[in-house]
Amino acid sequence: MSSDTAPGAVQLIVPKRFGDARGWFTEVYSAAAFAKRGITCQFVQDNHSLSQPKFTLRGMHFQTPPHGQDKLVRCIRGRIYDVAVDVRRDSPTYGQWVGAELSAENGHQLFVPVGFAHAFLTLEEDCEVSYKVSGQYAPECDGGIRWDDPAIGIDWPMPEGTVPETSDKDKLLPLLADFDSPFEYNGVPLSPLPVSA
């Protein structure tokens, strides 16, 4: 794993796989290896979701301070398009986004630090997503912004005119312009994700 990434950055992580005739083995998390990448948070909870319809969209979600959550996301069945949006006030990249395809086949993971809204779109039926978080769920700090906010302009990989499956709760999330961000900028602007990490 690369060690030249700034702490607090959104990162695409590509764990190595070691394969033979039986299949493969991979290390998906190591505190020591992640610390070399500037990821030193302590993960306290693992979440697992199943999304049955293709083009299910979950997000854009976050937890506000004092219960912000860093997330480490991976797809363990199927394929998803995973997105992070900078919602840190005074950030020079406020409202900008990055995205990457995560799949059971490629094994890639996305690290999403506190201060970024997170969402994913399933690209196949029956997708399972597993992710670690650095804070317990706190309903009073649960928040989000609209997945289809035109001011953000996320290029979701779905056919034109497709209406994704979303929750009733996500349909009521505010636009970024109506969101008063409690997240502070940490001096690390959002950077494009590399093809590999």
Side-chain angles (χ1 to χ4, degrees):
M1 292 185 178
S2 172
S3 60
D4 59 357
T5 305
V10 175
Q11 298 184 48
L12 180 66
I13 297 166
V14 182
K16 293 180 180 178
R17 287 182 172 177
F18 304 92
D20 58 25
R22 301 167 298 167
W24 50 259
F25 168 86
T26 188
E27 184 180 86
V28 296
Y29 176 73
S30 159
F34 274 60
K36 290 179 181 178
R37 300 181 66 102
I39 301 172
T40 58
C41 61
Q42 179 182 0
F43 293 112
V44 299
Q45 182 174 310
D46 283 274
N47 299 327
H48 187 165
S49 71
L50 167 67
S51 300
Q52 293 180 315
K54 184 178 181 179
F55 301 132
T56 293
L57 198 147
R58 296 179 183 264
M60 310 282 310
H61 301 149
F62 49 74
Q63 279 194 179
T64 58
H67 297 290
Q69 293 179 324
D70 299 294
K71 297 179 181 179
L72 180 63
V73 186
R74 65 189 180 115
C75 181
I76 59 175
R77 181 182 181 193
R79 295 184 302 128
I80 65 170
Y81 190 66
D82 206 41
V83 171
V85 175
D86 189 346
V87 293
R88 301 166 298 167
R89 67 177 183 271
D90 301 321
S91 168
T93 52
Y94 185 79
Q96 295 181 25
W97 64 276
V98 292
E101 184 174 308
L102 311 181
S103 70
E105 183 177 349
N106 70 24
H108 296 182
Q109 301 178 80
L110 194 67
F111 176 71
V112 182
V114 172
F116 291 82
H118 171 255
F120 66 84
L121 174 73
T122 64
L123 305 177
E124 299 179 0
E125 294 181 349
D126 298 322
C127 287
E128 293 188 56
V129 174
S130 176
Y131 59 100
K132 296 179 174 296
V133 293
S134 64
Q136 300 288 344
Y137 175 62
E140 70 277 14
C141 295
D142 192 23
I145 54 175
R146 286 274 297 275
W147 66 271
D148 58 349
D149 187 334
I152 300 171
I154 298 169
D155 186 15
W156 296 106
M158 55 185 170
E160 188 174 345
T162 300
V163 178
E165 295 283 340
T166 60
S167 70
D168 290 339
K169 175 182 168 183
D170 287 352
K171 291 172 184 170
L172 300 175
L173 291 173
L175 297 171
L176 187 63
D178 299 321
F179 172 60
D180 184 16
S181 177
F183 297 106
E184 295 182 4
Y185 177 58
N186 64 354
V188 181
L190 181 66
S191 298
L193 296 175
V195 174
S196 62

